[in-house]
Every structure is written in structure tokens, then in C-alpha cells.
Amino acid sequence: MMLKESKAFGGFSVNDTAKAKEFYSNVLGLDVKDEAMGGVISIQLAGGNYIIAYPKPNHVPATFTILNFPVPDVEKAVDELTQRGVKFIIYNEENFKTDDKGIFRGGGPVIAWFADPAGNIMSVIQQN
């Protein structure tokens, strides 16, 4: 069996699916629905794709970016999400710094990172 035609999807854990559902639907503006599988939520993405978030009692936030949202204007997206209560991560490492809004402009795509209520890291990234 080949998986090339399989409509694969990703998933990640959260410590509270009710808080996750609130964040992804009301703060990020995505369509979110409850799945039949014990507390799992489905987060609808553009193009008919989706990702699931599932409850995990011993959840540990991902230490890497689990989801990237390409946007035409990172600064505008950061401003809009900040107004909706999203807190962007400020990096101030020797070779890796963001500005005071949390936007990285140090080479490569313009990008800004934030976390969901469970601490999982995601980004808005400049679409070319």
C-alpha cells in the first residue's frame, strides 16, 4: 500500500482541550469542531486540511514550531493577533534576536512565534 494518496493530517497534545478550542476558534479565528474521540478537537486549516489536538494528562509543550501560518504581512498579523490577546515570544540570544513585537528579521523569512494555551509553539511567517 502506498501512502502517496493518503490524506494525512498532523496532531499534537494539549493539557486542556476546552482552552485550546477557545484559543483556536475565538482568538485565531479558525473553525474548530469536537471529534467523537474523547476530547479530541479538529482544527480546520485552509485548503481543506486539518490538524487535531488531543488531551494528554502529562502534556509537555513542544519545544519546536508545530504549526506555521503563512501570511502576506507578518507585522499586520502580529498587530492583529496582539490585539486579540496573543503574546509573541521575544528572543534575545546572542545570534538570534526578535524586535520588541517578537518579529525576527535577521535573515531568511520574516517570522514571529507565539504559543497556544498549552505552550505549543507556532508562527506567522511571511509568504513570498
Side-chain angles (χ1 to χ4, degrees):
M1 173 202 292
M2 300 304 289
L3 298 180
K4 184 176 180 180
E5 300 301 319
S6 175
K7 297 206 183 291
F9 63 92
F12 55 90
S13 70
V14 296
N15 56 354
D16 185 328
T17 51
K19 282 184 182 175
K21 186 176 182 180
E22 160 78 18
F23 178 77
Y24 287 98
S25 62
N26 295 340
V27 177
L28 298 187
L30 302 172
D31 291 329
V32 179
K33 66 179 184 177
D34 293 311
E35 292 293 331
M37 307 171 281
V40 174
I41 59 172
S42 176
I43 304 160
Q44 199 64 44
L45 304 172
N49 297 321
Y50 69 95
I51 192 165
I52 63 167
Y54 55 89
K56 187 175 179 189
N58 59 348
H59 166 75
V60 175
T63 58
F64 53 88
T65 307
I66 64 164
L67 193 56
N68 296 286
F69 292 96
V71 295
D73 185 336
V74 167
E75 186 137 11
K76 182 178 178 185
V78 166
D79 289 346
E80 289 176 6
L81 289 168
T82 298
Q83 288 177 355
R84 297 178 73 91
V86 173
K87 304 246 185 289
F88 283 83
I89 301 168
I90 305 294
Y91 292 101
N92 191 18
E93 299 170 21
E94 185 176 336
N95 296 314
F96 190 79
K97 297 182 188 307
T98 58
D99 64 18
D100 59 347
K101 288 185 175 185
I103 302 172
F104 178 75
R105 305 170 197 270
V110 175
I111 186 168
W113 294 270
F114 60 97
D116 72 1
N120 294 310
I121 300 169
M122 51 204 62
S123 81
V124 287
I125 184 168
Q126 191 78 32
Q127 197 174 34
N128 291 331

